[in-house]
Amino acid sequence: GAVVSQHPSRVICKSGTSVKIECRSLDFQATTMFWYRQFPKQSLMLMATSNEGSKATYEQGVEKDKFLINHASLTLSTLTVTSAHPEDSSFYICSAGDGANPEQYFGPGTRLTVT
Amino acid sequence: GEDVEQSLFLSVREGDSSVINCTYTDSSSTYLYWYKQEPGAGLQLLTYIFSNMDMKQDQRLTVLLNKKDKHLSLRIADTQTGDSAIYFCAAKGLSGGYNKLIFGAGTRLAVHP
């Protein structure tokens, strides 16, 4: 299947700082990318959907000013957690699709720990 | 909105078949998916089925879809210890103008000798 990468795989940051997570589609053009958050032993919670070149659509309850999403190209989307706090600690996973096919591929995830 | 439910835990003996069940509520869901997640990793797409099909087979995996009952199952033949993982069922439907995947809570499959 197609490959989606995320960077970094793990990050530890201090409370109040911002962290950027990158999601790349390596072998296809991702017209749509999705950002999820997963708490331990729980399912995935969709945070936002982004289409290349347009503003992201956020799910209810997700603060768009705190979780900044940029999808500037067909192979890259970034999620920036601004002014991170310990409650933002979580596993963040992106996924991507090309819009023409039903497959949606996931990245390996980024473990964020805010101290 | 769409709701997807799965049983939380399944234990099988190595070599037996595993059957993981899932139900969904939105009859207009277009595609239904099965993903596998190993500890600390992302989700691996195992297979998916279009809503107008009732069965799809791919090597050791068989997906059955009962659209009338909105019931989906994943059968893993000859289950191996490497199949131990969490399996997520997901349904794709239009919500808010975008195709979104709605996930179940995941079924933890434990394979023992």
Side-chain angles (χ1 to χ4, degrees), chain B residues 65-90:
Chain B
L65 174 61
N66 181 326
K67 195 173 179 181
K68 174 176 167 288
D69 293 340
K70 297 196 265 303
H71 181 268
L72 182 75
S73 67
L74 174 70
R75 179 177 179 269
I76 305 173
D78 187 25
T79 312
Q80 302 297 308
T81 54
D83 295 324
S84 294
I86 300 176
Y87 290 80
F88 288 97
C89 167

Side-chain angles (χ1 to χ4, degrees), chain A residues 27 29 31 33 36 48 55 59 71-72 76-77 83-84 101 103:
Chain A
D27 53 1
Q29 294 189 322
T31 54
M33 285 185 167
Y36 294 84
K55 287 185 180 179
E59 295 299 299
H71 190 169
L76 173 65
S77 175
S83 186
N101 297 294
E103 293 92 337

Side-chain angles (χ1 to χ4, degrees), chain A residues 32 34 36 38 41-44 46 49 51 55 57 59 91 93 101-109 111, chain B residues 31 33 35 37 40-45 48 86 88 92 95-96 98-106 108:
Chain A
T32 307
F34 304 85
Y36 294 84
Q38 186 179 32
K41 297 188 179 180
Q42 292 190 29
S43 188
L44 283 75
L46 179 64
T49 302
N51 289 289
K55 287 185 180 179
T57 300
E59 295 299 299
F91 194 53
I93 311 178
N101 297 294
E103 293 92 337
Q104 188 171 321
Y105 296 99
F106 282 77
R111 171 80 54 198
Chain B
Y31 289 92
Y33 301 76
Y35 285 89
Q37 185 179 35
L43 273 68
Q44 174 193 354
L45 176 61
Y48 64 91
I86 300 176
F88 288 97
K92 175 177 274 191
S95 177
Y98 292 92
N99 278 308
K100 299 199 287 194
L101 290 190
I102 306 299
F103 284 85
R108 183 177 296 273

